[in-house]
Amino acid sequence: MGKSSRDELDLLHVGFNQDYGCFACGTATGFRVYNCDPFRETFRRELDKGGIGIVEMLFRCNILAIVGSGTSAQYPPNKVMIWDDHQGRCIGELSFRSQVHSVRLRRDRICVALEHKVLVYNFADLRLLHSIETLSNPGGILALSAAAEQTILACPGLHVGQVRMELYDVRRTKFIQAHSSGLAALSLSLNGRLLATASDRGTLVRIYSTADGSKLQELRRGADPARIFSIAFAKGDSPEWLAMSSDKGTVHVFKLATAGADTRAAAAVRLAQTDGNANPVSALSFVSNILPVPYFASERSFAQFRLSEEVRSVVGFGSSPATIVVASASGVFYTAGFNAQKGGMCEQRSFCRFLEASDDVDHWKALAESGAAWPTGAAGVRPMFSRRDGFW
């Protein structure tokens, strides 16, 4: 389908897959998937009536969840369509009475955030497993652990600044009063052991253990308010880094402390270290041991990366150590590296306007290399399914 103007290429959505190896974007005419390293367009799908507001990947699987955007879109904004790119069509749908604000996938679950609900479905047959009431959630704030070892979901609770965690494997629900103001972003580490939260003030990110709900670390982006767009843990069972992006146009990278450590004491020790291999803290951090002034105790970012524009962006971690990847709403993809010993400003390593990428893509080769797999049901077949509303 031809594109008559630059406006038709405007991004409606951009987001990384679970390991930051790919990212997907929704446009006014369809959706596209890009590989991060090496950077290339993997495939694109142009629809008769485009407008895709959400594209959620499942690692490098051929299955994606898409949600339409706009009144004349081929798929309405109150439906989650399950797209099988091997077949080049939708093979199922979830339909709701209100707009879908976000979708999260793992190999056995589909989680959908509506304005006041989070709904959890079994992937194989779209059977509703759990319905959760939340505070008003127009931003679709929702996090889901992706690794197979445990299933953990985090979403807003019923009180301002409260996080509800569902630990499905042990059948427990935990509540954390993470912030005094409303939530802006949540993120879980790949294995679900760590939770990161940010409030709508945008000054602090707090790290919690999902096992017992204890606060492990407090990280400060800055003193002035900001809108947090994304938070990302580095890959691995014990992630060493956390990154966040905001409307200030700067990506901040923080070093994560050892889980369970007394982070205030650890910060004071690290401040005295000479190798610089730690988040900086205020020279007045000792005040927090005398007076309840948390501003001085929180840790500042270890490394920073400045984008060329102050636009919505999502951040992840690259395939090489001490690298970040960023995709922005202006259609720019960045990779940058930072000094893992000294921190400071990141070095930009690549810059690409991905909406202007070539159409000449070897689609079938990309699919063959992706190792695509479908989460089958008990009979091992790919079901064609449909489930409506999910409120019974």
Side-chain angles (χ1 to χ4, degrees):
M1 180 177 176
K3 301 174 184 63
S4 59
S5 73
R6 179 69 179 84
D7 289 342
E8 289 184 279
L9 294 176
D10 285 349
L11 285 177
L12 303 179
H13 169 89
V14 61
F16 287 102
N17 70 343
Q18 290 83 353
D19 63 5
Y20 319 120
C22 300
F23 70 92
C25 64
T27 72
T29 61
F31 62 93
R32 308 177 186 187
V33 173
Y34 298 85
N35 190 73
C36 292
D37 185 19
F39 179 80
R40 69 175 185 273
E41 181 180 310
T42 304
F43 67 86
R44 67 173 66 181
R45 296 292 172 258
E46 304 295 330
L47 305 176
D48 293 335
K49 295 180 180 180
I52 299 298
I54 297 173
V55 188
E56 182 72 8
M57 300 182 68
L58 178 59
F59 291 97
R60 292 177 179 267
C61 179
N62 52 288
I63 303 298
L64 301 93
I66 60 175
V67 178
S69 178
T71 56
S72 61
Q74 184 168 342
Y75 303 116
N78 67 322
K79 287 187 177 182
V80 176
M81 310 302 298
I82 311 301
W83 177 276
D84 183 350
D85 205 66
H86 275 175
Q87 300 185 43
R89 65 185 182 93
C90 290
I91 60 169
E93 67 179 56
L94 293 165
S95 183
F96 307 94
R97 297 179 186 140
S98 60
Q99 181 180 347
V100 174
H101 292 299
S102 68
V103 182
R104 299 289 181 267
L105 301 180
R106 52 178 282 141
R107 297 193 186 278
D108 56 354
R109 297 289 186 270
I110 302 175
C111 299
V112 180
L114 308 179
E115 178 78 28
H116 294 281
K117 280 182 180 287
V118 167
L119 299 161
V120 182
Y121 295 88
N122 186 49
F123 209 146
D125 56 9
L126 296 192
R127 177 170 50 92
L128 180 66
L129 301 176
H130 196 187
S131 177
I132 302 169
E133 300 284 342
T134 70
L135 206 61
S136 177
N137 185 20
I141 299 169
L142 178 63
L144 181 67
S145 62
E149 58 194 81
Q150 60 181 343
T151 305
I152 297 178
L153 177 147
C155 66
L158 290 173
H159 301 284
V160 173
Q162 184 187 69
V163 179
R164 175 172 178 159
M165 289 193 306
E166 294 293 338
L167 288 74
Y168 287 109
D169 300 287
V170 294
R171 298 184 179 181
R172 288 193 325 198
T173 301
K174 288 184 177 293
F175 293 93
I176 297 173
Q177 191 58 46
H179 301 274
S180 58
S181 58
L183 297 173
L186 296 175
S187 181
L188 285 164
S189 59
L190 195 65
N191 59 16
R193 293 177 184 173
L194 298 176
L195 167 71
T197 71
S199 77
D200 54 17
R201 291 178 184 169
T203 55
L204 292 173
V205 173
R206 292 182 172 131
I207 311 299
Y208 295 90
S209 164
T210 57
D212 58 11
S214 61
K215 186 172 74 172
L216 303 176
Q217 206 166 358
E218 184 169 282
L219 310 171
R220 180 168 292 276
R221 180 205 58 81
D224 56 324
R227 185 179 179 189
I228 304 302
F229 292 139
S230 71
I231 306 174
F233 283 97
K235 292 169 280 190
D237 290 338
S238 299
E240 186 178 3
W241 308 102
L242 178 136
M244 62 180 293
S245 63
S246 74
D247 64 354
K248 298 299 183 181
T250 300
V251 172
H252 292 266
V253 180
F254 300 88
K255 188 174 180 64
L256 296 178
T258 302
D262 180 344
T263 54
R264 287 193 179 185
V269 170
R270 288 197 299 269
L271 183 63
Q273 292 176 340
T274 58
D275 62 3
N277 188 16
N279 297 322
V281 296
S282 170
L284 299 176
S285 60
F286 67 90
V287 173
S288 62
N289 294 322
I290 305 170
L291 300 173
V293 187
Y295 177 85
F296 296 118
S298 52
E299 304 171 41
R300 275 58 171 176
S301 59
F302 181 80
Q304 308 81 34
F305 177 63
R306 183 71 185 172
L307 308 185
S308 59
E309 300 173 279
E310 294 183 0
V311 296
R312 176 178 285 275
S313 61
V314 291
V315 63
F317 285 88
S319 56
S320 300
T323 60
I324 58 171
V325 289
V326 183
S328 79
S330 59
V332 176
F333 176 75
Y334 307 83
T335 62
F338 58 93
N339 188 314
Q341 298 300 316
K342 297 180 179 180
M345 294 303 297
C346 296
E347 176 189 3
Q348 182 175 297
R349 295 181 179 173
S350 70
F351 174 100
C352 178
R353 295 193 178 277
F354 57 83
L355 288 183
E356 300 172 4
S358 169
D359 288 339
D360 186 16
V361 178
D362 190 346
H363 171 64
W364 296 110
K365 180 179 178 182
L367 284 179
E369 293 173 350
S370 69
W374 166 260
T376 59
V381 298
R382 299 185 180 187
M384 174 64 181
F385 36 48
S386 177
R387 181 78 70 188
R388 301 189 62 84
D389 286 323
F391 295 118
W392 57 82

